[in-house]
Amino acid sequence: MTSPPAPWLSDVDPDAVDEAVTRLQAATEDGASVVIAAHIGPDGDALGAALALHHALSGRGARTLPTWGEEPLRVPAAYADLPGVDDLVAPSDIDPEAVDLLVSVDSSSASRLGALEPLLGAGVPTIVVDHHPTNTRFGTVHLVAPRAAATVVIVDELLRRLEVPLDPDIATCLYVGLVTDTGRFQHASTDRAAMELGGRLIDAGAPHEELTRRLFGTRTVGELTLLARALARLTFVPEASLVHAFVTAEDLEEAGAGMEAAEAIIDVVRTTDVAEVAVVAREAVGSRGWRVSLRSRGQVDVGRIATAFGGGGHDRASGFTGQGTYDEVLASIVAAVQEA
């Protein structure tokens, strides 16, 4: 029995899908140079989508350059063994004049491309593949599907239309993106299409048990130390139904943990039983900036709040970079939540 079309497909202009497939097919036939860009500070969805496309397109003849706009490229420990990680290319090693096509995955705005944003100004044709409702449509071709559970869901559809079979490497990359962005299939975005894709990826060779252990069942002492420090600062703001915590650059250095360890803290803080909104901020090294993660139980659209502060995301999960002291950034968030 054939499954009905996934609802998210109706979010995307069919002509845009056809154009994206045509451009990607031409790139493989012509041996074109294709930069595949995850967003800065890549999560599992961004990195998994980028590497899956890298395997698929390079296997068909394109010269693919998987990357993201930060230097040095620091791959989060949980993703260090993903197939294709060794093929990552530093942004400074990319000649803009030699790039034929840019594929942006999981970036809601041009600023999320970081050091790769100048490729847009250089006129490089750009395919935007994303599932954030706050996407600014900054590219040439837009495959933006807010109802897709993860960006890898859209990538899987592209590969299907390109007639690229799922092999263990591609399946592993896609599965990491799917299972992380759906919160192990717990988030509200999880639908039938996501569950069916997960089954197909396991059948194609994604090592479910190994990936689950690596992604969700293993933490370093430094990561646990950082979590303890954040939870020691946990504070409830009842007038905004908001709970918040933070870690400093010094905390990160002393714990020997990267920014991805701080990102995982929000998954614990958001489980509090007294607050509608959860906030975790991580101090950026060498600046007065704070990378802020927001989560909502559904009554407050934190995507809209993050967008107002120059970030973006989903209605229940979003983020932005705030300037000033922690107290100043927090005060602005509290005010925005109270007005929401």
Side-chain angles (χ1 to χ4, degrees), residues 144-188:
V144 180
R147 285 185 291 173
T151 293
V152 294
V153 172
I154 310 170
V155 170
D156 172 70
E157 180 66 18
L158 283 174
L159 300 188
R160 186 186 69 81
R161 297 189 185 212
L162 287 166
E163 299 182 346
V164 176
L166 293 175
D167 62 23
D169 285 348
I170 294 174
T172 296
C173 294
L174 292 176
Y175 192 78
V176 165
L178 181 66
V179 76
T180 54
D181 238 39
T182 61
R184 287 177 278 185
F185 304 105
Q186 297 178 87
H187 296 339

Side-chain angles (χ1 to χ4, degrees), residues 202-234:
I202 291 174
D203 288 345
H208 165 71
E209 182 180 5
E210 176 188 338
L211 291 173
T212 299
R213 181 174 61 253
R214 186 192 312 165
L215 295 171
F216 306 111
T218 304
R219 294 290 181 266
T220 67
V221 171
E223 289 170 338
L224 293 176
T225 299
L226 197 65
L227 174 61
R229 291 190 180 185
L231 294 181
R233 298 172 179 139
L234 193 68

Side-chain angles (χ1 to χ4, degrees), residues 19 24 62 78 106 118 129 167 197 224 228-229 232 263 281 287 296 300 308 335:
E19 183 176 356
L24 293 174
D106 206 40
V129 185
D167 62 23
L197 174 58
L224 293 176
R229 291 190 180 185
E263 180 65 29
S287 74
S296 168
V300 175

Side-chain angles (χ1 to χ4, degrees), residues 99-126:
V99 177
D100 299 306
L101 181 66
L102 170 64
V103 182
S104 167
V105 292
D106 206 40
S107 287
S108 59
S109 66
S111 63
R112 297 287 281 158
L113 294 175
L116 297 171
E117 187 175 355
L119 291 176
L120 300 175
V124 176
T126 302

Side-chain angles (χ1 to χ4, degrees), residues 73-304:
L73 296 180
R74 292 190 176 93
V75 179
Y79 312 131
D81 294 327
L82 268 181
V85 160
D86 291 341
D87 298 332
L88 289 168
V89 178
S92 59
D93 292 334
I94 296 174
D95 178 5
E97 296 184 358
V99 177
D100 299 306
L101 181 66
L102 170 64
V103 182
S104 167
V105 292
D106 206 40
S107 287
S108 59
S109 66
S111 63
R112 297 287 281 158
L113 294 175
L116 297 171
E117 187 175 355
L119 291 176
L120 300 175
V124 176
T126 302
I127 299 174
V128 175
V129 185
D130 187 31
H131 72 132
H132 293 98
T134 57
N135 190 282
T136 61
R137 271 69 171 178
F138 56 89
T140 310
V141 182
H142 307 116
L143 306 185
V144 180
R147 285 185 291 173
T151 293
V152 294
V153 172
I154 310 170
V155 170
D156 172 70
E157 180 66 18
L158 283 174
L159 300 188
R160 186 186 69 81
R161 297 189 185 212
L162 287 166
E163 299 182 346
V164 176
L166 293 175
D167 62 23
D169 285 348
I170 294 174
T172 296
C173 294
L174 292 176
Y175 192 78
V176 165
L178 181 66
V179 76
T180 54
D181 238 39
T182 61
R184 287 177 278 185
F185 304 105
Q186 297 178 87
H187 296 339
S189 61
T190 303
D191 58 6
R192 176 175 178 163
M195 300 295 283
E196 290 181 345
L197 174 58
R200 287 196 291 109
L201 296 176
I202 291 174
D203 288 345
H208 165 71
E209 182 180 5
E210 176 188 338
L211 291 173
T212 299
R213 181 174 61 253
R214 186 192 312 165
L215 295 171
F216 306 111
T218 304
R219 294 290 181 266
T220 67
V221 171
E223 289 170 338
L224 293 176
T225 299
L226 197 65
L227 174 61
R229 291 190 180 185
L231 294 181
R233 298 172 179 139
L234 193 68
T235 304
F236 178 46
V237 183
E239 62 269 26
S241 188
L242 178 150
V243 65
H244 66 93
F246 69 93
V247 291
T248 66
E250 183 178 3
D251 292 331
L252 289 164
E253 182 178 1
E254 291 180 357
M259 292 297 286
E260 70 276 5
E263 180 65 29
I265 295 170
I266 190 68
D267 291 329
V268 177
V269 174
R270 69 191 295 270
T271 62
T272 179
D273 63 346
V274 296
E276 168 65 24
V277 174
V279 179
V280 170
R282 298 93 70 204
E283 185 181 20
V285 178
S287 74
R288 297 180 70 233
W290 296 84
R291 292 177 63 173
V292 180
S293 294
L294 304 171
R295 298 292 185 270
S296 168
R297 290 185 178 275
Q299 297 300 313
V300 175
D301 185 345
V302 292
R304 181 172 298 181

Side-chain angles (χ1 to χ4, degrees), residues 15-79:
D15 291 339
V17 178
D18 290 343
E19 183 176 356
V21 170
T22 297
R23 287 177 181 265
L24 293 174
Q25 184 66 46
T28 62
E29 294 172 353
D30 299 340
S33 177
V34 183
V35 171
I36 306 173
H39 59 66
I40 55 176
D43 57 10
D45 192 24
L47 191 54
L51 291 178
L53 277 172
H54 162 60
H55 287 296
L57 299 181
S58 64
R60 291 294 184 92
R63 292 179 288 116
T64 52
L65 304 169
T67 185
W68 64 88
E70 293 176 303
E71 290 203 43
L73 296 180
R74 292 190 176 93
V75 179
Y79 312 131

